[in-house]
Amino acid sequence: MPAPRFPLAAALAGALCAALGSCAPQAAAPGTVQSSTPLTRASFYPQETGLAWAYLPEGEVAGGAPYMVQNLGPTLFGGEAVSATRMTGRGADQTWYRVTDAQGVKLLGIRKPGVTVRLQPAWLEYPAPDAWRAGLTWQGQSQVSLVADDGTVKGSGTLSYSYLVQERRTVSTPGGRFDVWVVTRQISDTVGGLFPATQQLWFTPFVGEVRTPEGLLLTERNFAPRSGGQP
């Protein structure tokens, strides 16, 4: 699989200098005080702080501005220790709050500008790592609360979900060639249809979602595959 290709700022700057023939010398700008998190190879369900993915809508002409998904790291949500993951780009701004344990990946809530979606009990998005197989199903139900920034409850209801692992197959995207689990999920709720009723996603262990439920395909990521190839 090709090595991860972003960030691309340095490569683009070099290409621009080459195209112009030279770059005029400039005085060095003073440094800024910043922090960074060293990237590591991802776990089965990638949750390490700093991991990032770029996506484009399936069927769109290549070269458009991507949606960016980044793991922000540990935080608190409703008093519970969780891991936050944020999507930005093209006007999108959404943060998911999850817990990953021996049972799988659980979604406790979602944050959008002006509103927070809370789920009780948490929504099981992915099963235990050793449970994956074609034909696997799981389902559940959560109470949903829509809470405004001022604490006002704007709506509440029930969300029901079910998943089916259809098959395992090899796919190619601009981000590489992947061995994916093809999963169909079905959702219904009583709070105005927060999610499309039926969606398909592709998941690859140690990589993450190759196709998101929103129909976005992986184009790049900032971490390398595991040594010896992907499972």
Side-chain angles (χ1 to χ4, degrees), residues 164-227:
L164 168 63
V165 180
Q166 294 182 312
E167 63 176 334
R168 191 173 188 174
R169 71 168 184 249
T170 300
V171 301
S172 293
T173 78
R177 185 178 176 89
F178 302 96
D179 183 11
V180 304
W181 288 106
V182 178
V183 182
T184 296
R185 81 177 191 189
Q186 293 183 311
I187 301 173
S188 62
D189 66 64
T190 62
V191 286
L194 287 176
F195 303 90
T198 302
Q199 300 161 306
Q200 186 182 92
L201 60 94
W202 302 340
F203 172 76
T204 295
F206 307 99
V207 172
E209 289 180 348
V210 174
R211 184 186 192 274
T212 74
E214 297 80 17
L216 305 177
L217 292 180
L218 180 65
T219 59
E220 299 182 59
R221 66 186 191 277
N222 68 344
F223 57 98
R226 294 200 313 165
S227 299

Side-chain angles (χ1 to χ4, degrees), residues 21-205:
S22 65
C23 288
Q26 298 179 352
T32 57
V33 179
Q34 297 180 349
S35 65
S36 63
T37 301
L39 297 177
T40 61
R41 298 186 186 276
S43 53
F44 187 94
Y45 291 122
Q47 57 186 308
E48 289 76 13
T49 302
L51 297 184
W53 301 257
Y55 294 90
L56 287 175
E58 187 173 17
E60 182 175 284
V61 175
Y67 291 93
M68 299 299 302
V69 175
Q70 183 174 16
N71 284 353
L72 303 181
T75 187
L76 291 175
F77 183 81
E80 294 191 52
V82 298
S83 179
T85 301
R86 185 182 184 190
M87 172 187 280
T88 57
R90 303 193 185 193
D93 188 354
Q94 179 166 309
T95 303
W96 294 267
Y97 299 97
R98 297 180 169 103
V99 170
T100 301
D101 58 23
Q103 296 178 319
V105 180
K106 303 170 186 176
L107 178 66
L108 280 71
I110 303 170
R111 165 74 182 166
K112 296 184 178 184
V115 66
T116 298
V117 179
R118 298 182 181 275
L119 299 162
Q120 180 61 40
W123 169 353
L124 182 62
E125 292 186 294
Y126 286 114
D130 60 359
W132 283 93
R133 59 177 175 78
L136 174 68
T137 63
W138 70 95
Q139 53 279 318
Q141 189 175 83
S142 298
Q143 297 302 308
V144 182
S145 298
L146 307 178
V147 184
D149 288 346
D150 62 2
T152 304
V153 177
K154 295 297 186 181
S156 62
T158 302
L159 180 146
S160 299
Y161 59 86
S162 63
Y163 288 77
L164 168 63
V165 180
Q166 294 182 312
E167 63 176 334
R168 191 173 188 174
R169 71 168 184 249
T170 300
V171 301
S172 293
T173 78
R177 185 178 176 89
F178 302 96
D179 183 11
V180 304
W181 288 106
V182 178
V183 182
T184 296
R185 81 177 191 189
Q186 293 183 311
I187 301 173
S188 62
D189 66 64
T190 62
V191 286
L194 287 176
F195 303 90
T198 302
Q199 300 161 306
Q200 186 182 92
L201 60 94
W202 302 340
F203 172 76
T204 295

